[in-house]
Every structure is written in structure tokens, then in C-alpha cells.
Amino acid sequence: MKKIKFFFSFIAIVTIIFFIFIYVFLKNLNEDKVIGELEKKYNLNISQVNESQINVFPYIKYNTSLKVTNFQNQFNVDQIDIAISQPIFSTQGNLHIFLDNISLTNLKFSNLEIRGNINYFQNYITNQNNFENLFDGIYEINGNFELLTTNEER
């Protein structure tokens, strides 16, 4: 009987420690730092459309919506919807990005959908100082594009 109590007590303690670790991990994820680094490095203006949402149980899920513009107005994204999810007891997570409209100088993308399988925890641990590699994984990209030209360019 004591062995059974010890076993269930051990499982309960490990579960509590695991959820504390996940909570601390999510609280240390600083959105402003990541957005600030991207803005400085690529000369962008990034603003949040909706407040980010984080769920922890039954799986970790993060949702946000952003608007991105380039200071030279050569690059514009009307709205980016990002959904990141990671099952708690699984190593592979999912990334889903939907971009409404992307306007480059002479190229316009619409309804661009990016889906990927990513191991967030392993990428975060190995790339804490390099956020560019945080989303290393395999992606599937679907969408429409349109080449904008004038009569002189044709």
C-alpha cells in the first residue's frame, strides 16, 4: 500500500513540476523583445492587431495577429494570423500562419497559408540567442500571387 501511495505521490509531484516549468517558460517568452529585434534587424514596423492569447492545457497554444509595414513602403502585410501549438507530451508542434495580403514592389500575394511541423522546445533550448532558428521545421505553403506591371514593362 505504501508503494502505491509513493508512486502516485511521485507522479503528482512530477506533473506539478512539469506545469510549473511550462508556466515559467511561457512567462519568460517576451513578445516585445522578439518584435523589437525583428523591427531593428529588418527595418520594419510591426503592430499587434489583437492581444495575444496563451493556453496551457490540454496543449500549449499561442495565437496572435500582427500588421507589418516596411518604412520605405516597399513591403506591406495587411494582417498576419499566427497560431502556434505544442501538445504537452509530444515533441512535435504545429505552426499555422495565414497572411491576408502581402504587397511587395511589383508582386502581390493573397490568402497565403503556411503550415509547419516544428519541435519548439528543442529549437528554443538550442537557439536561445538566435530567434531566427526558433521555427526550424518542415513547411507547406499555399496561396495566390499576382505580378503587377505597367504597359511599359510588358
Side-chain angles (χ1 to χ4, degrees), residues 38-46 68-71 75:
L38 290 172
E39 285 179 331
K40 277 194 274 182
K41 186 170 186 174
Y42 297 109
N43 198 20
L44 298 172
N45 182 18
I46 301 173
V68 180
T69 55
N70 183 302
F71 285 118
F75 177 75

Side-chain angles (χ1 to χ4, degrees), residues 1 5 7 14 16 21 30 36-37 45 50 55 59 73 76 78 81 87 90 92 94 98 123 131 135-136 143 151 154:
M1 187 69 169
K5 283 184 182 179
F7 176 74
V14 168
I16 290 169
F21 171 74
N30 189 348
E37 285 182 15
N45 182 18
N50 297 327
N55 297 334
Y59 52 90
N73 291 327
N76 185 27
D78 289 344
D81 294 323
S90 177
Q92 288 293 323
N94 296 313
F98 181 78
N123 291 346
F131 290 119
F135 298 102
D136 284 349
N151 286 335
R154 292 181 192 165

Side-chain angles (χ1 to χ4, degrees), residues 138-154:
I138 299 170
Y139 295 96
E140 177 184 328
I141 302 172
N142 294 313
N144 303 321
F145 72 93
E146 180 180 349
L147 183 60
L148 306 172
T149 60
T150 62
N151 286 335
E152 293 176 4
E153 292 173 341
R154 292 181 192 165

Side-chain angles (χ1 to χ4, degrees), residues 25 60-62 82-87 90-97 115-128 133-137 139:
F25 172 75
I60 301 168
K61 188 171 184 178
Y62 172 79
I82 302 172
I84 299 171
S85 62
Q86 172 80 37
S90 177
T91 58
Q92 288 293 323
N94 296 313
L95 173 68
H96 181 248
I97 300 174
R115 292 184 179 271
N117 293 324
I118 299 143
N119 191 337
Y120 296 110
F121 289 127
Q122 180 182 355
N123 291 346
Y124 181 77
I125 291 169
T126 57
N127 300 307
Q128 285 184 354
N133 297 330
L134 185 61
F135 298 102
D136 284 349
Y139 295 96

Side-chain angles (χ1 to χ4, degrees), residues 1-10:
M1 187 69 169
K2 288 184 179 182
K3 289 182 182 180
I4 294 173
K5 283 184 182 179
F6 177 73
F7 176 74
F8 285 114
S9 298
F10 178 74

